[in-house]
Amino acid sequence: MHHEQQPSMMKHHPAAPDHGNHHPGSGSGSGPMCSMDMTFNWNTENVCVVFKSWRISSYTQLFLSALFIFCFSYGAEYLKYYVGVLNQRLTGSLTRRTRIQASLWYGLQYTISILLMLIYMTYNGYLIAAVLLGGMLGHFHWSQSPAIQLPPCH
């Protein structure tokens, strides 16, 4: 038995939250929306990365985004190295100023790692590869210890 929804049930309630589940041609008037797959994918169009304004809609944009993400992830590893060198220099001089500086550097590292996690959570294979490869190459170039160390969740 086939049931059709009555038109009154299909109307969007004005007080209901808009979760952005519009599809092209749905009458939303804003054009294509971001694909928000919650499974591993290799999408090359309508992939939003962190911000709605950072939308990948072509192979060129995908390549440039992956290159930027690779460099960002590589830079995060350099920042770990740089902060480690600073910490070694400041050992023994825990003044208020050095503690504030160390906290600011930590906050920057924390923000970068959260952004990399959000990029990873696009579940896009190309972007995940950029995060991983940039981090691996950065670790290879800048790591001060050969020991394998798991990264923190943040």
Side-chain angles (χ1 to χ4, degrees):
M1 177 183 251
H2 180 67
H3 294 280
E4 292 185 30
Q5 282 186 318
Q6 295 179 5
S8 63
M9 293 176 68
M10 292 173 57
K11 290 182 182 175
H12 180 59
H13 191 276
D18 182 6
H19 297 288
N21 294 328
H22 302 287
H23 300 285
S26 67
S28 64
S30 61
M33 298 299 288
C34 300
S35 67
M36 294 298 295
D37 290 329
M38 297 304 287
T39 57
F40 188 77
N41 66 80
W42 296 95
N43 293 342
T44 58
E45 293 183 3
N46 294 325
V47 177
C48 286
V49 185
V50 183
F51 308 102
K52 281 187 179 184
S53 59
W54 186 358
R55 180 190 321 243
I56 297 171
S57 58
S58 69
Y59 287 109
T60 302
Q61 289 175 344
L62 175 66
F63 174 77
L64 293 174
S65 292
L67 182 62
F68 173 79
I69 291 166
F70 175 90
C71 293
F72 191 66
S73 186
Y74 179 92
E77 292 300 316
Y78 173 75
L79 184 61
K80 287 180 192 176
Y81 162 77
Y82 180 73
V83 169
V85 169
L86 280 178
N87 285 338
Q88 287 176 354
R89 280 191 218 158
L90 298 175
T91 301
S93 64
L94 288 178
T95 65
R96 181 173 171 81
R97 182 173 184 235
T98 59
R99 290 177 61 199
I100 290 171
Q101 286 176 336
S103 294
L104 291 173
W105 282 114
Y106 178 80
L108 180 61
Q109 285 181 296
Y110 193 87
T111 300
I112 289 171
S113 62
I114 293 293
L115 288 172
L116 289 171
M117 180 213 41
L118 290 172
I119 292 168
Y120 205 97
M121 287 180 62
T122 63
Y123 298 102
N124 184 287
Y126 300 111
L127 303 183
I128 290 171
V131 170
L132 289 175
L133 293 173
M136 289 166 52
L137 187 61
H139 180 77
F140 177 79
H141 283 149
W142 301 109
S143 178
Q144 293 181 332
S145 66
I148 296 174
Q149 186 176 4
L150 293 177
C153 291
H154 65 281

